[in-house]
């Protein structure tokens, strides 16, 4: 059943609201809803002891809004509003009904639906987990003992891409005077493929001048 409140800036309107709130904490149901916010916006200020039910409800809604808007308000006043009596004389009955009546159960507009969909999409986006990361230990092998290992390492570290972070490294003896580069790297799984890194970046020109092959020694999820 639709509920309508009129002239909430007048004593008669406040009395009607006060009677409606007898035995109730909120306009609709037992929790704060947008119905309370609509009516709250139409009541210019706390009417005090003259209308105790309205006063108690007004303070309750104010406390909810204060929690949602913790910033310190300095207070504002709205000027230029016509005297209610003069305004009533100037307006037609139809216009008066449109401006003063609050239909608490009006149909949801397209704008409301769109805003609700955007809020839901934002919630889902916020719930998405951050992409996983992995720690990788890689062996990078030179062609022979004459390969400049310093230039080999520089060639490896010159590979840059989103989600790739090179870490510590060391030279490990293989035999016959040959050493290999053992290097740590951290990758974002959704952004970097180790296979692609090796096949399309490290073992192709110009880096294959120093790098013969690469092997994954360890691969661990972080």
């Amino acid at each position: 059943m639709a509920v309508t409140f009129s002239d909430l800036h007048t004593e008669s309107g406040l009395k009607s609201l006060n009677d409606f709130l007898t035995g109730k904490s909120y306009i609709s149901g037992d929790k704060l809803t947008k119905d309370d916010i609509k009516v709250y916006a139409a009541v210019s200020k706390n009417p005090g002891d003259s209308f105790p039910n309205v006063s108690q409800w007004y303070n309750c809604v104010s406390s909810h809004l204060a929690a949602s808007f913790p910033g310190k308000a300095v207070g504002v006043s709205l000027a230029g509003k016509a005297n209610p009596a003069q305004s009533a004389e100037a307006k037609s009955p139809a216009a008066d009904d449109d401006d003063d009546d609050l239909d608490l159960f009006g149909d949801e507009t397209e704008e409301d639906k769109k805003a609700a969909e955007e809020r839901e999409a934002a919630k889902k986006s916020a719930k998405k987990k951050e992409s996983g990361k992995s720690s990788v230990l890689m062996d990078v092998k030179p062609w022979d003992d004459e390969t400049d290992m310093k230039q080999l390492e520089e060639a490896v570290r010159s590979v840059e891409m989103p989600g790739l972070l090179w870490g510590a490294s060391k030279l490990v003896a293989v035999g016959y005077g040959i050493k290999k580069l053992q290097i740590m790297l951290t990758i974002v799984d959704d952004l970097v493929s180790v296979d692609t890194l090796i096949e399309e970046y490290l073992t192709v020109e110009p880096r294959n001048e120093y790098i013969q092959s690469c092997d994954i020694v360890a691969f661990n999820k972080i």
Side-chain angles (χ1 to χ4, degrees):
M1 178 179 178
V3 179
T4 299
F5 297 109
S6 302
D7 302 319
L8 292 178
H9 57 274
T10 67
E11 287 193 2
S12 61
L14 289 173
K15 183 178 184 307
S16 175
L17 177 59
N18 192 72
D19 293 340
F20 177 84
L21 287 171
T22 300
K24 298 180 179 180
S25 299
Y26 300 98
I27 299 297
S28 302
D30 57 356
K31 294 182 180 180
L32 184 74
T33 68
K34 67 179 181 180
D35 295 340
D36 294 280
I37 304 304
K38 287 182 179 180
V39 179
Y40 181 89
V43 178
S44 59
K45 63 180 180 180
N46 191 324
D49 295 338
S50 299
F51 303 97
N53 296 331
V54 176
S55 179
Q56 182 178 355
W57 164 82
Y58 191 96
N59 288 334
C60 181
V61 177
S62 296
S63 66
H64 280 288
L65 294 178
S68 299
F69 304 94
K72 183 178 180 181
V74 298
V76 296
S77 59
L78 302 177
K81 184 177 181 181
N83 181 281
Q86 295 175 341
S87 185
E89 293 175 359
K91 292 189 296 183
S92 67
D96 186 63
D97 289 341
D98 290 341
D99 292 343
D100 290 334
D101 292 352
L102 292 174
D103 183 1
L104 301 184
F105 299 93
D107 293 336
E108 186 177 33
T109 65
E110 288 299 324
E111 289 77 8
D112 291 337
K113 292 180 180 179
K114 183 177 181 181
E117 290 173 357
E118 290 176 351
R119 287 194 298 271
E120 189 64 25
K123 289 180 182 179
K124 290 181 180 179
S125 178
K127 290 180 180 179
K128 287 183 179 179
K129 294 182 179 179
E130 182 181 355
S131 178
K133 295 181 180 180
S134 298
S135 175
V136 183
L137 179 61
M138 180 187 297
D139 279 350
V140 184
K141 300 175 182 177
W143 287 101
D144 51 40
D145 60 341
E146 295 182 357
T147 301
D148 189 323
M149 296 303 293
K150 182 178 180 181
Q151 289 185 325
L152 180 145
E153 182 171 355
E154 290 176 353
V156 171
R157 292 185 182 275
S158 68
V159 178
E160 296 180 355
M161 63 177 67
L164 170 64
L165 178 65
W166 294 106
S169 64
K170 64 179 181 180
L171 295 179
V172 179
V174 177
Y176 303 100
I178 300 175
K179 293 182 179 180
K180 64 182 178 180
L181 174 71
Q182 197 166 78
I183 187 167
M184 293 289 300
L185 57 145
T186 301
I187 61 171
V188 176
D189 297 333
D190 288 349
L191 299 179
V192 179
S193 163
V194 178
D195 290 338
T196 300
L197 174 64
I198 294 173
E199 295 171 5
E200 298 184 11
Y201 291 88
L202 293 176
T203 56
V204 296
E205 294 182 350
R207 297 180 182 88
N208 63 356
E209 179 181 351
Y210 308 100
I211 300 170
Q212 182 207 44
S213 62
C214 300
D215 295 317
I216 303 303
V217 179
F219 192 110
N220 298 301
K221 294 289 186 181
I222 298 176

